[in-house]
Amino acid sequence: MAIHKVSKAVARSSVSQTEDVGFFQRFAMVFESLFIVLITAALMWSTRFFDITEFVMNLSSSQPHWQLGNIITLVSISALGSLVLLIRYSLHLRKKMKLQFVAEEEIKRLAFFDSLTNLPNKELCQDRIEQALARAARNNTSIAVLFIGIDDFKAVNDQQGHVGGDKLLKQIAKRLSGQLRSGDTLARITGVEFIIILETISPKDNINMFADKILLKLTKCYRIAMQEVYITGNIGVALYPSDGEYGKELIQHADTAMCFAKEKGRNRLAFFSKELQEQVNIKKKIAEQLRGAMERDELVLHYQPIIATHSNEIIAVEALLRWNNELLGDLAPDVFIPIAEEIGIITKIGDWVLAQACLQNKTWQQQGYPCIVMTINMSVMQLAISNYARTVSTSLTETSLEPQYLELEFTENTLMKDAKQSIVQLRELSALGVSIALDDFGTGYSSIKHLAKFKLNKLKIDGSFIKHIPESAGDIIATRAIIALAKQLKLHVTAEGVETANQCEFMMTNNVDSMQGYHFSRPVAAKAFELLLQSPSWQSN
């Protein structure tokens, strides 16, 4: 099918080129052949009216001076004319065959090579792997398949346009090609994914060192349209024969290893293993069960109180999603939330969480409990939805919850995924009257410049800073710096992960506005949280 499409493309190209050539010039050989045929036919037709034999005899008798040399000359001229016609025809055929050969070579190139980088494409890569496997089987050697994934390419396309993106891909291909040994293969199989086939791998070959060199080359500065561009990448490795005996199997396993490396961060390397495959299989099972979790009413919300530092009263509550599956049991949010994002159902789950949390908070108000703020964690995919403020407004309207009793939490990494878009979305959300909180502060990549532009009301210090207070002097210094920054920006400060009385005392001393953690309560079901609203257990200590 691919070759058929390419053939049509080449045919269209040929037609467009010939449109500029004149009609007679395009079919010159046809007209020449027709002319010869017509002359021959006319001579043959004339034999009906003339006795050619008698005419020739009379002609020869009327020319007594003709000698054998004259006859040979006439015959030679006729033969020369025929020879010229034959040469002309052979040259025409040769030209036609050459054009056909060029067209076929172009079809092969387009069918088996990437048109942008001139590297082998997925089809040719598969063929190269099968050939390499056959040689490895005969020679009892090993091969390695490196699956390379490029990160941050979308940002380059957005900033530089598709022309800039194409230039970057060409430079990437050139850098990767420069690292190959003789006999190795580099292929581009999708937009931002490459494969390297390393043949005849010996125990002396250090694949880790080779992969590190590849990553080092990838991350060096690129210059596109007079601007500096930086990217990151991840590499997955599968080995023959330990990780597979077939080409498609090795590519799939190398891809699996690359995805695993990507989950661990940027510029990472991972080797395929049975343990990794088991993790992938478990992930697939979780994804399968997660798709029907809402329909089976397996999702529930638990609630953790947020305490005012100086009054010890509950001023807010964080809604935390929990999932209990009949086959998989209880799963932690950090396990199934990333999978929900990958399979594209996090927005559906997020909308359910938003509606349920708003409804629960309104129910507590109607039951006579003190009015508190309901805090909800937001996903990066929810923030990417155009006019997400409308969804939030709808939930508030349907549950009759006033906007000042709703707070939306975003992590640093979520907001920095697309800072410009985040600024627009946060302004729209803030205009509704809801509170905006920056969660897990100190663990991401946000800058002070962006903190000032984000319409924030609250900053939450990540629990990793609190965990080793007061033993860690470094964490004390970092926490005090975050508190001071938040105060300068006039933000409410909440400390997450407060687990001990000493940590609680530290927060009070350093003017933290509110606290949250196991020192006060673990996340509990709605009914249990009502007991905390009635009689907070930490106030009796």
Side-chain angles (χ1 to χ4, degrees):
M1 180 63 72
I3 295 178
H4 177 65
K5 290 180 180 178
V6 172
S7 301
K8 291 202 296 185
V10 173
R12 285 195 296 268
S13 177
S14 301
V15 170
S16 64
Q17 291 176 358
T18 55
E19 284 176 353
D20 299 332
V21 181
F23 178 78
F24 291 100
Q25 192 173 354
R26 285 169 58 189
F27 301 101
M29 192 62 203
V30 175
F31 285 115
E32 289 177 13
S33 301
L34 287 173
F35 184 69
I36 294 171
V37 170
L38 286 172
I39 291 176
T40 304
L43 289 173
M44 294 179 67
W45 180 76
S46 65
T47 58
R48 298 175 58 188
F49 306 100
F50 299 100
D51 188 344
I52 300 299
T53 305
E54 183 180 353
F55 177 76
V56 172
M57 292 296 294
N58 293 333
L59 182 63
S60 60
S61 62
S62 65
Q63 301 290 338
H65 60 279
W66 276 17
Q67 304 295 322
L68 180 62
N70 298 117
I71 297 173
I72 293 174
T73 300
L74 291 173
V75 172
S76 299
I77 292 172
S78 301
L80 181 62
S82 300
L83 182 63
V84 169
L85 287 175
L86 287 173
I87 292 173
R88 174 71 180 87
Y89 190 66
S90 64
L91 289 174
H92 175 76
L93 287 178
R94 184 179 178 184
K95 182 179 180 181
K96 199 169 185 180
M97 291 173 65
K98 185 177 180 180
L99 290 173
Q100 183 69 22
F101 176 77
V102 170
E104 289 177 357
E105 288 298 309
E106 182 67 9
I107 289 172
K108 289 180 182 178
R109 190 187 71 81
L110 293 173
F112 298 111
F113 288 87
D114 176 54
S115 60
L116 178 64
T117 61
N118 286 325
L119 295 175
N121 62 12
K122 188 174 183 178
E123 287 74 17
L124 185 55
C125 176
Q126 182 67 45
D127 182 67
R128 295 272 180 92
I129 288 180
E130 296 300 338
Q131 293 181 28
L133 290 173
R135 288 189 290 269
R138 286 195 304 268
N139 302 325
N140 196 27
T141 56
S142 300
I143 70 171
V145 176
L146 280 67
F147 198 107
I148 304 170
I150 307 300
D151 301 323
D152 309 317
F153 186 76
K154 183 180 182 298
V156 177
N157 257 348
D158 293 341
Q159 295 171 5
Q160 304 287 345
H162 292 293
V163 174
D166 289 347
K167 289 181 179 178
L168 176 61
L169 286 171
K170 289 180 180 179
Q171 293 187 33
I172 290 172
K174 185 176 180 180
R175 289 189 186 184
L176 292 177
S177 299
Q179 301 303 308
L180 300 183
R181 308 169 305 173
S182 176
D184 294 337
T185 295
L186 170 66
R188 181 188 177 206
I189 59 170
T190 65
V192 292
E193 293 177 334
F194 296 82
I195 280 181
I196 293 178
I197 307 169
L198 301 178
E199 293 197 47
T200 61
I201 298 296
S202 67
K204 295 181 181 179
D205 293 319
N206 192 327
I207 299 177
N208 292 69
M209 188 177 297
F210 177 80
D212 288 340
K213 286 171 60 179
I214 292 291
L215 290 174
L216 184 63
K217 281 287 184 181
L218 282 176
T219 54
K220 285 187 177 180
C221 178
Y222 299 83
R223 292 198 66 83
I224 308 293
M226 303 300 291
Q227 293 185 14
E228 293 184 351
V229 174
Y230 293 90
I231 61 170
T232 58
N234 295 282
I235 300 178
V237 182
L239 303 175
Y240 168 84
S242 58
D243 297 332
E245 298 183 354
Y246 303 99
K248 290 183 179 180
E249 185 181 17
L250 287 171
I251 291 176
Q252 182 180 354
H253 289 171
D255 184 15
T256 298
M258 189 277 292
C259 293
F260 180 79
K262 191 173 183 179
E263 289 177 1
K264 298 300 179 183
R266 297 168 180 262
N267 296 324
R268 298 296 183 92
L269 169 68
F271 284 80
F272 181 81
S273 64
K274 291 182 180 179
E275 293 76 14
L276 192 151
Q277 184 63 56
E278 289 178 4
Q279 293 183 34
V280 172
N281 293 337
I282 292 172
K283 194 173 178 181
K284 287 181 179 179
K285 290 180 181 177
I286 293 173
E288 289 173 1
Q289 293 297 314
L290 190 56
R291 285 188 172 92
M294 291 181 62
E295 287 72 16
R296 295 189 298 268
D297 292 325
E298 295 177 347
L299 299 178
V300 295
L301 292 180
H302 282 194
Y303 303 92
Q304 186 175 37
I306 299 174
I307 314 302
T309 303
H310 297 289
S311 67
N312 258 358
E313 295 178 351
I314 300 175
I315 58 172
V317 56
E318 182 172 359
L320 298 166
L321 186 62
R322 296 292 182 263
W323 178 33
N324 180 270
N325 180 260
E326 185 178 355
L327 297 177
L328 304 173
D330 291 319
L331 283 88
D334 57 354
V335 172
F336 68 84
I337 291 297
I339 296 175
E341 291 179 340
E342 286 183 21
I343 63 177
I345 64 171
I346 190 62
T347 53
K348 182 179 178 182
I349 293 175
D351 291 346
W352 178 86
V353 170
L354 176 64
Q356 291 297 312
C358 289
L359 180 62
Q360 183 61 72
N361 198 15
K362 187 63 180 179
T363 300
W364 284 331
Q365 291 180 5
Q366 291 172 344
Q367 291 174 351
Y369 293 110
C371 293
I372 58 176
V373 175
M374 177 65 73
T375 299
I376 303 171
N377 292 289
M378 306 302 292
S379 163
V380 62
M381 295 182 71
Q382 290 173 284
L383 193 62
I385 298 174
S386 178
N387 198 12
Y388 184 69
R390 183 182 299 170
T391 302
V392 176
S393 178
T394 300
S395 291
L396 291 171
T397 302
E398 290 178 350
T399 59
S400 300
L401 182 68
E402 296 176 74
Q404 64 265 34
Y405 298 118
L406 177 64
E407 182 173 85
L408 306 178
E409 286 188 8
F410 300 90
T411 64
E412 284 184 90
N413 292 336
T414 297
L415 295 181
M416 293 306 297
K417 197 78 174 179
D418 187 343
K420 291 182 179 179
Q421 177 67 14
S422 297
I423 291 172
V424 174
Q425 291 279 49
L426 294 185
R427 285 178 178 172
E428 292 178 357
L429 291 169
S430 183
L432 296 177
V434 302
S435 177
I436 306 295
L438 183 61
D439 196 15
D440 300 336
F441 183 76
T443 61
Y445 304 97
S446 61
S447 65
I448 297 177
K449 178 184 73 173
H450 285 111
L451 283 179
K453 290 183 178 180
F454 294 144
K455 283 282 187 177
L456 301 175
N457 304 101
K458 180 188 288 188
L459 187 149
K460 301 185 76 171
I461 306 172
D462 186 67
S464 60
F465 293 99
I466 313 298
K467 186 175 182 180
H468 299 292
I469 290 177
E471 293 80 14
S472 173
D475 286 341
I476 289 176
I477 293 172
T479 301
R480 283 175 174 166
I482 293 172
I483 295 169
L485 173 62
K487 294 298 182 182
Q488 286 292 321
L489 294 172
K490 296 181 173 56
L491 300 177
H492 180 105
V493 183
T494 298
E496 295 182 300
V498 177
E499 298 182 353
T500 67
N502 288 335
Q503 292 169 355
C504 184
E505 184 178 350
F506 175 86
M507 300 307 155
M508 294 178 65
T509 305
N510 287 274
N511 295 319
V512 169
D513 299 298
S514 57
M515 297 177 288
Q516 175 182 359
Y518 288 177
H519 178 67
F520 305 100
S521 173
R522 292 176 176 271
V524 295
K527 289 295 182 183
F529 188 79
E530 291 175 10
L531 297 177
L532 294 178
L533 289 172
Q534 297 169 11
S535 178
S537 58
W538 55 91
Q539 291 184 355
S540 60
N541 293 336

